[in-house]
Amino acid sequence: MSEVKIAAESRTEFGKGAARRIRRDSKVPGVLYGHGSDPIHLTLPGHELLLALRTPNVLISLDIDGKTNELAIPKSVQRDPIKGFLEHVDLQLVQRGEKVNVEIFVQTEGELAPGGNLLEHVLNALPVEAEATHIPESVTVSVEGLTAGDSILAKDIPLPSGTKLGVDGETVVLQVLAAQAEEPTEGEGEGGEASAEA
């Protein structure tokens, strides 16, 4: 998986006013927590963080104030609902070799059997347990030839070595829905219902 180095600054100012000042400088307020330690409030460079977050479950190597290096993964990202810019990020402290619980995207390949059936993603992301420094970005499963009523369970999805399911193996991840038949249009009206009153 990708590891991205980002220089961060510790911060002591909190509240909406402080957060607005940070964002005006094209930076993002964040919090680093984990391993029972006190949360560390950070200011992170907005552009570098935005690029890093394009990779699912990216591993971030934080250089804090040029003194401390920590590894973290993003756990919660808040964005402006209209403009989409980053407003705040929560980062989870991790260590090399440590197991973490994350969600990875489920991608499909292949074509369903002919018939116009629909593939439903019951789960868009699959909960797994993986080593913090070896989190897969996604898993790919074949849907080639599946027909209506077929489904793919969590246990059917091949996972990389060292990665374990974080849900029951019988959990449905993908299922094929039958194509809906078009309802016939009613071309004939119901006659004789209305009668004129004298």
Side-chain angles (χ1 to χ4, degrees):
M1 67 174 295
S2 301
E3 182 174 330
V4 178
K5 293 184 178 181
I6 292 181
E9 304 167 11
S10 57
R11 62 184 171 93
T12 55
E13 286 189 308
F14 310 106
K16 292 183 178 179
R20 278 196 294 268
R21 284 194 293 275
I22 291 171
R23 289 192 284 268
R24 274 201 301 269
D25 291 336
S26 299
K27 297 179 179 180
V28 180
V31 176
L32 174 65
Y33 63 90
H35 295 163
S37 58
D38 291 335
I40 302 173
H41 296 268
L42 301 172
T43 299
L44 302 122
H47 182 66
E48 288 90 335
L49 182 60
L50 187 64
L51 292 178
L53 293 176
R54 289 181 178 176
T55 300
N57 296 315
V58 63
L59 183 66
I60 299 175
S61 176
L62 290 168
D63 179 2
I64 303 174
D65 298 329
K67 301 175 183 178
T68 308
N69 285 288
E70 302 284 6
L71 288 177
I73 56 174
K75 292 303 290 183
S76 175
V77 179
Q78 296 176 24
R79 298 176 185 268
D80 180 271
I82 299 174
K83 297 182 179 179
F85 60 79
L86 297 174
E87 290 191 324
H88 190 275
V89 62
D90 286 354
L91 301 170
Q92 179 183 335
L93 189 65
V94 297
Q95 295 176 344
R96 297 187 188 279
E98 177 186 0
K99 297 283 188 177
V100 294
N101 294 307
V102 295
E103 291 187 343
I104 55 177
F105 290 116
V106 177
Q107 299 180 336
T108 60
E109 62 182 6
E111 299 290 334
L112 298 178
N117 297 322
L118 302 175
L119 179 65
E120 179 187 16
H121 287 251
V122 180
L123 293 180
N124 287 314
L126 184 67
V128 298
E129 181 187 78
E131 188 178 328
T133 54
H134 293 89
I135 301 173
E137 292 182 17
S138 63
V139 287
T140 302
V141 60
S142 174
V143 297
E144 185 69 34
L146 296 184
T147 60
D150 288 342
S151 60
I152 293 178
L153 306 179
K155 66 181 182 182
D156 300 328
I157 296 178
L159 296 175
S161 176
T163 302
K164 296 180 181 179
L165 281 177
V167 293
D168 187 283
E170 299 298 320
T171 301
V172 176
V173 179
L174 300 164
Q175 62 184 5
V176 182
L177 305 178
Q180 293 184 352
E182 292 186 12
E183 295 183 5
T185 56
E186 296 183 7
E188 297 181 1
E190 300 282 342
E193 293 293 328
S195 59
E197 294 184 5

